[in-house]
Amino acid sequence: ATVGSAVGSMMDDTWWDACERSDAAGASLARMLVTRSPRRPLTLVGYGHGARVIFSCLLELAKFGPEGTGIVDDAFMFGSTSFPRQADWGATR
């Protein structure tokens, strides 16, 4: 293996590790938002992996059903590292 391919492999591993951690952070954020008190609408803003955290959070909130609605009023995601399917966008509304 060449040095270039070894460095590329290491960067890919780091990238996907950051993506997995962002998804886990989004799920954790959603659980915290559902259980917090007082419940009032929030605006979430994220860039890069922060945007991925927000999207993951919105997907997780959708899994809570009615209990997960009305928590996030607005979500602004810039330069996201996620590539959601059309169905996932619908679930986050």
Side-chain angles (χ1 to χ4, degrees):
T2 65
V3 173
S5 66
V7 170
S9 177
M10 183 178 69
M11 289 175 60
D12 285 346
D13 291 345
T14 303
W15 173 264
W16 289 113
D17 185 46
C19 289
E20 289 173 0
R21 288 176 187 231
S22 297
D23 292 341
S28 180
L29 176 61
R31 288 190 298 277
M32 189 275 306
L33 291 177
V34 166
T35 59
R36 77 182 175 96
S37 184
R39 288 181 62 166
R40 60 176 192 239
L42 298 172
T43 297
L44 302 177
V45 180
Y47 175 81
H49 282 290
R52 188 179 183 108
V53 169
I54 292 171
F55 193 77
S56 176
C57 174
L58 295 175
L59 285 175
E60 193 69 22
L61 286 173
K63 294 177 186 176
F64 281 97
E67 189 179 2
T69 60
I71 296 173
V72 176
D73 196 31
D74 294 302
F76 297 95
M77 299 174 283
F78 304 97
S80 180
T81 59
S82 56
F83 307 98
R85 298 171 306 162
Q86 181 111 11
D88 290 338
W89 279 111
T92 62
R93 297 179 117 276

